[in-house]
Amino acid sequence: MAKRSRAFLGYLPTHKSFRSHVIAIGQAAVAWNTLHEALRALFWAFLPDTHVLEINSLWYSLKNDRAQRGLIKAISKCWHSQGDLNDEGEKSIIWLLTESDKLSEARDDAVHSPLA
């Protein structure tokens, strides 16, 4: 039985011809993770009396980034409806989350598209 090749277009994934693409994909992934850590800090800002381990438990219990952003949206709407967040603050958070959703699509394309 012939051994299956792990080569792509005749090259192994570690071939030097993929280097610039791999670096760009890695930079996109790191930038995205940095954004999401900033969003986690924003989530924590909504719960100032909550210990960081509890915040992290809540945040990381959600298995995807979109659900995490949804958590921020829900809590900001709650604060806004109670008068604890003004209209401008609510508008800014919604803008940030909307732009993050747009970026998530570009990030997904960059990270999950095959090199061809």
Side-chain angles (χ1 to χ4, degrees), residues 2 7-10 13-15 22 29 37-38 48 59 66 70 83 86 99:
F8 178 75
L9 299 177
T14 54
H15 190 269
V22 170
E37 283 303 298
W59 184 257
R66 191 171 299 273
N86 65 27
E99 293 303 309

Side-chain angles (χ1 to χ4, degrees), residues 65-82:
D65 298 344
R66 191 171 299 273
Q68 291 171 330
R69 293 190 303 276
L71 191 59
I72 294 172
K73 185 175 185 177
I75 201 165
S76 69
K77 284 182 179 257
C78 178
W79 273 47
H80 183 255
S81 70
Q82 294 174 352

Side-chain angles (χ1 to χ4, degrees), residues 32-46 55 59 65 68-70 72 93 96-97 100-101:
W32 179 256
N33 291 344
T34 301
L35 170 64
H36 247 264
E37 283 303 298
L39 291 174
R40 183 185 56 82
L42 175 61
F43 175 61
W44 189 13
F46 278 111
I55 293 294
W59 184 257
D65 298 344
Q68 291 171 330
R69 293 190 303 276
I72 294 172
I93 289 169
L96 175 63
L97 297 174
S100 296
D101 285 345

Side-chain angles (χ1 to χ4, degrees), residues 83-104:
D84 295 324
L85 181 64
N86 65 27
D87 292 342
E88 190 61 32
E90 172 72 357
K91 183 179 175 183
S92 295
I93 289 169
I94 296 301
W95 176 87
L96 175 63
L97 297 174
T98 300
E99 293 303 309
S100 296
D101 285 345
K102 291 176 189 175
L103 282 173
S104 75

Side-chain angles (χ1 to χ4, degrees), residues 20-30 110-111 113 115:
S20 63
H21 297 291
V22 170
I23 289 170
I25 291 167
Q27 288 172 331
V30 169
V111 172
S113 295
L115 294 174

